[in-house]
Amino acid sequence: TVSVVRDGKLIDQQHHLLDGVTGVGTDELLTAFLTQRYTQIGSPPRQVLLPHEISEGTLLEDYLTERRGRRIRLLVPRRGPKLELVEMTRDNARLYLEQRQATIDEEARKAKDALRELADLLGLPEPPKRVECYDISTLQGDDSVGSMVVFVDGLPAKDQYRRFKIRYHSGAPDDYAMMREMLERRLGAALMKSRAFAALPDLMVIDGGKGQLGVAMQAMAELDLHVPVIGLAKRYEEIFQPGREHGTMLPRNARALHLLQCIRDEAHRFALKYHTTLRNRRVKESLLDEIPGIGPTRKQALLTHFGSVDKIRKATVDELAAVHGMSRPAAEKVHELLAGVEE
């Protein structure tokens, strides 16, 4: 927790949750946080009050002072109002963590209840621990993409989300063919022991009705895999299961339905986000085609060298001119015309 004080008055408190810090010492953690925060913040304070000394405090002071162009001091108060402020900040941080943990525990309890209900409704032997949902996003026939989101114990495991740029389709977009391609790639990777796809789900949720469910069944049959799978149709929120002619309508207030909707909506959001990223990238790359003197060869050389239009935009004229096949006049033109392009 960071308390922001100006003219002796507390004007803001900011809470930061840090992930992936298991095993990292407090000294190292605090030094890294201070370095990142005060090299990025627009107008850093002249004094930063800390709960305890850090081993490289003097070096960090000098670094931040040089980086920000103004003297920044790291202080550990021993008495008086400044010590009271540090202690208040520590107490507020502890309270925030307790409230946050209580919220997480309540969400986990509700998710566990929803999974038990879902297992009963689907006839599963036990609540599914790992649920994967798949969605396809296609806008105006371009940049078709697929998404796979993962929920573990009923909660999103975002580090395990995966996205797919659809490779093989021609003519009018075919949602069935694209869904089948994504599932074959995902399940095939599991059979190949790919690290990113090693774990098979306890339940697969397909965004769609009987047709998409049939595609999933075909993909699994070809790979000789047997994973519980359902289709969730958007229009009436019907659940389709293999071997059943008609879909099942769950009660609108069912916890299991709310969980499935949450998972499906997350898959849709993730697919749309990737689709938008690809579309924006393609639009930016097309800007290079409009620059005089930049033909296909130079365009490819620039993209290969820098990796993206954003990095080309940030490059200096000298860096642009150093790319194989570029001339200085061409580099100056690229630098001039990309200067106003937003990230």
Side-chain angles (χ1 to χ4, degrees), residues 44 67 75 81 123-124 156 175-176 191 233 236 249-250 278 296 338:
R67 182 73 181 263
L75 303 176
L124 300 176
D175 284 350
Y176 294 153
L191 292 178
Y236 299 113
M249 300 281 290
L250 297 185
L278 291 179
L338 291 186

Side-chain angles (χ1 to χ4, degrees), residues 21 56 64 82 98 107 110 121 127 139 171 174 186 202 220 231 251 263 265 267 288 307 314 323 335-336 338:
V21 296
E56 299 184 355
L64 293 176
K82 290 183 178 180
E98 290 173 354
E107 290 176 350
K110 290 180 179 179
L121 291 169
L139 295 179
D174 184 338
R186 185 270 174 269
D202 301 304
M220 282 195 287
I263 296 172
D265 292 346
L288 294 174
K314 294 174 182 177
V323 175
H335 190 269
E336 175 188 350
L338 291 186

Side-chain angles (χ1 to χ4, degrees), residues 130-137 145-150 162 164 178-180 182-187 197 199-208 212 216 220 227-232 234 263-264 266-268 271:
R130 179 187 178 91
V131 179
E132 293 182 3
C133 183
Y134 313 92
D135 185 30
I136 295 290
S137 177
V145 302
S147 71
M148 176 187 103
V149 300
V150 181
R162 298 292 180 264
F164 302 80
M178 291 187 286
M179 178 65 76
R180 180 165 180 166
M182 175 170 61
L183 293 175
E184 287 177 345
R185 287 165 59 186
R186 185 270 174 269
L187 297 173
F197 297 97
L200 283 171
D202 301 304
L203 176 66
M204 296 169 57
V205 180
I206 309 299
D207 180 38
Q212 284 87 348
M220 282 195 287
V227 177
V229 58
I230 61 172
L232 180 61
K234 286 187 181 75
I263 296 172
R264 189 268 319 281
E266 180 70 350
H268 180 67

Side-chain angles (χ1 to χ4, degrees), residues 27-48:
D27 189 297
E28 181 182 352
L29 186 61
L30 187 55
T31 300
F33 176 76
L34 292 169
T35 303
Q36 180 175 351
R37 177 179 174 85
Y38 293 115
T39 53
Q40 294 178 350
I41 193 169
S43 180
R46 296 185 182 277
Q47 290 186 355
V48 179

Side-chain angles (χ1 to χ4, degrees), residues 17-25 28-29:
L17 293 174
L18 307 180
D19 295 324
V21 296
T22 303
V24 180
E28 181 182 352
L29 186 61

Side-chain angles (χ1 to χ4, degrees), residues 58-105:
T58 302
L59 290 175
L60 183 56
E61 273 189 346
D62 293 341
Y63 170 75
L64 293 176
T65 296
E66 181 181 357
R67 182 73 181 263
R68 302 310 304 177
R70 59 187 294 184
R71 185 64 184 169
I72 297 177
R73 299 186 64 202
L74 307 180
L75 303 176
V76 181
R78 304 300 181 187
R79 63 180 68 85
K82 290 183 178 180
L83 176 59
E84 293 174 3
L85 177 60
V86 169
E87 291 176 341
M88 178 199 71
T89 302
R90 181 190 289 128
D91 292 341
N92 287 344
R94 186 179 297 110
L95 178 61
Y96 175 78
L97 280 176
E98 290 173 354
Q99 293 173 340
R100 176 75 177 178
Q101 189 59 53
T103 300
I104 291 173
D105 292 343

